[in-house]
Each structure stands twice: as C-alpha cells, then as structure tokens.
Amino acid sequence: MKIFAANWKLYKTPTETRDFFSQFLEPSSKILNSNPGTEVLFFPPAVNLEAAVQSVKGFKVQIGAQNSYFESEGAFTGETSAQTVKSIGGTWILLGHSERRKLFSEADELIAKKFAHVQKLGLKPMLCIGETLEERESGKTKAVIQKQLSLGLSLADAKLSFAIAYEPVWAIGTGKVASLEQVEEAHAEVRTELSAKGFSAKTPILYGGSVKPDNAKALINVKNVNGFLVGGASLDAKSFLEICQA
Ligand code: PGA
C-alpha cells in the first residue's frame, strides 16, 4: 500500500481549494484506478475542510485536518474538533507535525492524548516524527525516533490503524532532502520500534521533507517507504500528480 498525502499548511482559500481539485481529480482518478493499493489524501487548513470534502465527493481522494484537540467540544478557544472533522466527512488527522511541536510548543504527551482521541472517534491519525539538524549531527536520530514513537503512541490502540510520517526537521521546506541511505535507516528504525511495541507490520511509514517530482521515484523505492507527506510540492496540482505517479 502507498499513501500520498498533501500537507497544505496555512495555504489556499476555499476558492483556491476548489480550483486545485478541478485540475487534480480527473487525472488522479486514473492513477488511483490503475493502482488499487494507492491512497491520496489532503490536509488543508481547517477553514477549507468543508470546501475540500465537497470538491472530492465521488472520488477516492480523502480529506483530513492538520491538527485536532483531545476533546470533541468545550471551552477550548481556537482548537479544531476531530468530531466535527468526522461529521463533515474527514477521515484522517495529522498530528505532531514539527511546526506544531516547534511553533506551538506541542509536547509528546499532548500529542499522545490527541492520537488516542482521534482513534476513539474512528478516524485515522498520522503521527509525524523526526529529528532536528542538531540532533542528527550529535548522533541522536535513533534516540529521537524512539522517544517520539514511545511517547506519541503511548495511548494508541494497536488494533486500530494509523500511519507514521518520518520527517527530518532539517529537510522540511528547505529543499534539502535526506539521502536514500538516511531515509532507509530511519524507516528501518521506525519499523523495528513499531513491531517491538506490537503494532501492525502493515502500518504505513511515510517519508516527508522536500519531496519533489524529481526525487519521488528514487525515494518511493526505498525499503519501508510506504508513501510521502508532501508540503510545498503538493500546492500545485501538476507537481503533486507527478509525485503520486511515482
Ligand atoms: P515540504 O514539507 O515538502 O515543503 O518539505 C513537508 C511537511 O512539512 O510535511
């Protein structure tokens, strides 16, 4: 199974969302129909979720939110409810993205609670993990992967499905893609940790960090790379289609 996921961050209005899908959906359905094991999903900004869900009706493309809180409702100003995402037809929630961790001070313990809540609602969480440049250069990559997985998945239900996105922080939005060896090594570590913790060997592990049409083919053939989480290159329908074609 391969998953191609688009992280739109804080880009696009509802009108731009509809325009994107009017270019993307027809050609993408050819790819999806001829590759039954492939999934394509989008994480648009919360305000655009409804426009995205409406746009993809009748197509196999799935929609999810970039974050959600661990309660469905209450006095939590500014948060996004996973229950509401579900009620409009969303199926996935991205959690623990490095921008949430760094800019919004999200800790592993908070991410773990969000993860459990998303699973309880019957939605699929995609947990992002990855080391900073400083951590890599000081030889801490494995330790960071282990810590973020054990804390982030500490409340996870092994019977329910989810995905991991390994995104080295230094490769996000920088144009610096990790080498094939670095990706293979990190994904092997994630795979080992998941099985040691009793999670399914089928849990998809996506790579993210400056994935572009010209590096997608080599990256998708790396062992244990089960798809991509794409930021910048997913904003343009043509370039994201090329990546999905990989
Ligand atoms: P990028 O972003 O593809 O622009 O590097 C990836 C991400 O943040 O998920």
Side-chain angles (χ1 to χ4, degrees), residues 34-244:
S34 49
N35 298 280
T38 302
E39 289 187 26
V40 174
L41 42 124
F42 287 83
F43 296 106
V47 178
N48 299 354
L49 282 167
E50 181 101 51
V53 169
Q54 294 300 331
S55 301
V56 304
K57 272 223 167 93
F59 290 86
K60 281 187 197 153
V61 170
Q62 300 179 68
I63 303 296
Q66 294 171 12
N67 175 40
S68 68
Y69 197 54
F70 62 79
E71 297 279 359
S72 288
E73 58 180 12
F76 307 112
T77 304
E79 288 296 323
T80 298
S81 163
Q83 176 71 58
T84 306
V85 174
K86 182 181 174 178
S87 76
I88 65 162
T91 49
W92 283 83
I93 308 274
L94 192 64
L95 291 173
H97 189 277
S98 72
E99 286 147 22
R100 301 282 333 157
R101 292 176 189 264
K102 180 160 181 265
L103 305 172
F104 305 100
S105 309
E106 284 199 16
D108 290 301
E109 292 74 9
L110 174 68
I111 295 163
K113 285 194 193 174
K114 294 178 171 193
F115 190 104
H117 182 68
V118 167
Q119 278 195 316
K120 247 180 234 133
L121 289 172
L123 298 173
K124 289 188 205 171
M126 182 181 292
L127 173 67
C128 302
I129 59 165
E131 80 288 357
T132 62
L133 186 59
E134 198 190 348
E135 288 164 340
R136 175 161 286 271
E137 285 176 345
S138 55
K140 294 198 189 114
T141 300
K142 266 194 180 180
V144 170
I145 290 175
Q146 286 168 0
K147 175 172 168 274
Q148 290 182 341
L149 284 178
S150 38
L151 295 177
L153 297 174
S154 58
L155 306 172
D157 185 337
K159 294 187 294 302
L160 300 173
S161 55
F162 62 91
I164 300 293
Y166 168 68
E167 300 199 297
V169 178
W170 48 274
I172 296 177
T174 56
K176 261 191 240 158
V177 63
S179 72
L180 301 181
E181 293 71 27
Q182 287 171 326
V183 174
E184 183 168 346
E185 203 182 346
H187 280 235
E189 180 59 26
V190 175
R191 185 59 75 210
T192 304
E193 284 299 311
L194 289 176
S195 66
K197 290 177 168 45
F199 294 108
S200 166
K202 290 198 184 116
T203 304
I205 307 170
L206 281 61
Y207 169 78
S210 297
V211 175
K212 305 277 180 252
D214 61 2
N215 58 28
K217 222 182 181 96
L219 284 164
I220 203 72
N221 288 316
V222 174
K223 192 161 181 233
N224 286 311
V225 171
N226 310 120
F228 299 132
L229 179 59
V230 187
S234 73
L235 293 168
D236 175 68
K238 193 169 156 278
S239 89
F240 192 51
L241 276 167
E242 282 179 44
I243 291 171
C244 297

